[in-house]
Amino acid sequence: MIGDIHGHADALHRLLTKLDYRERDGAYRHSDRRAIFLGDFIDRGPEQVEVLRVVRAMAGAGTARAIMGNHEFNALGWGTPDGSGGFLRPHTEENRKQHAAFLDQIGEGSPAYREALAWFTCLPIWLDLGGLRVVHACWHGASQHRLAATCLDATGCLHGPGLHKALCDGAPENRAAEILLKGPEIRLPAGHSFRDKDGHIRHDARLRWWDREATTFRSATLGLGEGASALPDDPVPTHYRYDDSVPVMFGHYWMSGRPQLLSSTASCLDFSVAKGGVLTAYRWSGETVLSNDNLVWAPA
């Protein structure tokens, strides 16, 4: 499994080489392994078109599988008309700023841009491989059931009407998609807020859904830094918590420092390559208990 790439193709090439993949006949290949990409191929980095070339070539050759990240989801919303003269993701200044690097590099409206969007529609939201589960931001059964019932085709990908529902602000399908692709959030107690990595003031914080011991506002919220110590020890909802024994791998959360597992059954592989961190992979061989020994990474 390989975490969020965000347009950093150089790190991707080096990581695949470190994992003993070699490029042959137009795609990276391994003698007996297949890669799984956890989404967020685009936005931020300088080589987004090359990242898409590498990942799409591997997927086409059968040497990799890939799932959707929230940035691919947003890209589909940006590029898909809503039927009322606008788009499923409104073309606001803030949304364009978040997406500008991809649009500039690939050329908004170009054949390459349309091909990329078409490929994004073929990315499943999650994979359940029996002994391993893979999702971009949160494994949550209720949200998966909601999307599967009304928005997904037989391969687990968003179909046309499903994409419209999943991007309809306030719809239950939108709530489900946001949980799976962006993570569950909770409203902070009155008087508490924080500034996110993009400088926006937030009153809702993401939850450590994978941490069985994170039961209060103080221990369960993400992104507040030292501000978390000011939060009360009031309990937070537990229905997002992952209690299963099947290992689950995900990305999305901008971890920092030397890569390490969050737990023996659930862990993040996003170690902030787009902010000078490392592109991180986990080499899974069927084990039911995850090990730090199987982490591999390449610096940005």
Side-chain angles (χ1 to χ4, degrees):
M1 282 75 65
I2 297 176
D4 306 32
I5 306 168
H6 283 302
H8 285 263
D10 181 63
L12 176 60
H13 285 296
R14 287 185 280 110
L15 179 61
L16 287 169
T17 299
K18 196 171 183 178
L19 290 167
D20 298 321
Y21 285 80
R22 298 295 182 263
E23 197 161 14
R24 189 177 72 253
D25 298 329
Y28 277 95
R29 303 170 189 270
H30 192 282
S31 59
D32 58 4
R33 287 184 174 273
R34 182 163 63 164
I36 299 177
F37 293 98
L38 301 184
D40 276 10
F41 310 108
I42 63 168
D43 294 335
R44 301 185 185 278
E47 304 163 307
Q48 298 178 44
V49 175
E50 174 64 3
V51 167
L52 290 180
R53 184 196 71 79
V54 171
V55 176
R56 290 178 64 189
M58 291 180 69
T63 63
R65 299 181 72 175
I67 62 172
M68 183 179 291
N70 61 298
H71 284 260
E72 290 75 48
F73 182 66
N74 288 345
L76 285 171
W78 180 273
T80 304
D82 63 4
S84 301
F87 291 83
L88 295 181
R89 189 169 198 236
H91 285 196
T92 64
E93 182 178 348
E94 179 178 338
N95 287 345
R96 178 174 288 278
K97 181 179 179 181
Q98 293 173 354
H99 205 38
F102 174 65
L103 298 175
D104 291 344
Q105 289 178 37
I106 201 167
E108 186 174 8
S110 69
Y113 174 73
R114 293 194 294 271
E115 289 175 7
L117 293 186
W119 184 68
F120 294 163
T121 66
C122 298
L123 296 172
I125 307 298
W126 69 86
L127 292 173
D128 191 337
L129 305 176
L132 180 72
R133 293 167 173 172
V134 179
V135 70
H136 183 67
C138 178
W139 190 273
H140 185 237
S143 296
Q144 290 166 316
H145 291 314
R146 169 72 69 176
L147 282 192
T150 59
C151 297
L152 304 183
D153 62 21
T155 66
C157 303
L158 289 164
H159 51 59
L163 180 64
H164 282 249
K165 291 179 180 179
L167 281 158
C168 179
D169 190 31
E173 293 84 359
N174 175 251
R175 175 64 176 159
E178 295 266 319
I179 290 170
L180 299 173
L181 295 171
K182 302 180 182 180
E185 295 188 345
I186 188 170
R187 174 67 60 166
L188 293 172
H192 293 272
S193 64
F194 70 102
R195 192 177 297 274
D196 68 14
K197 64 182 183 301
D198 295 317
H200 302 126
I201 299 296
R202 302 291 188 186
H203 298 276
D204 298 277
R206 289 172 178 156
L207 293 176
R208 299 178 185 273
W209 57 273
W210 59 84
D211 187 347
R212 297 173 186 177
E213 297 180 0
T215 58
T216 68
F217 278 98
R218 188 176 300 173
S219 62
T221 50
L222 278 165
L224 278 71
E226 294 181 357
S229 62
L231 293 175
D233 276 328
D234 296 348
V236 295
T238 61
H239 58 273
Y240 294 117
R241 191 172 304 145
Y242 187 75
D243 290 323
D244 291 353
S245 60
V246 178
V248 58
M249 306 299 289
F250 51 96
H252 189 61
Y253 290 99
W254 297 88
M255 300 295 172
S256 60
R258 180 185 176 89
Q260 58 182 340
L261 299 175
L262 297 172
S263 80
S264 61
T265 55
S267 201
C268 179
L269 293 179
D270 177 10
F271 280 84
S272 305
V273 67
K275 296 180 69 175
V278 296
L279 182 62
T280 305
Y282 185 88
R283 187 183 276 135
W284 186 65
S285 299
E287 65 271 14
T288 57
V289 178
L290 303 176
S291 169
N292 280 313
D293 293 340
N294 297 329
L295 291 168
V296 182
W297 61 89

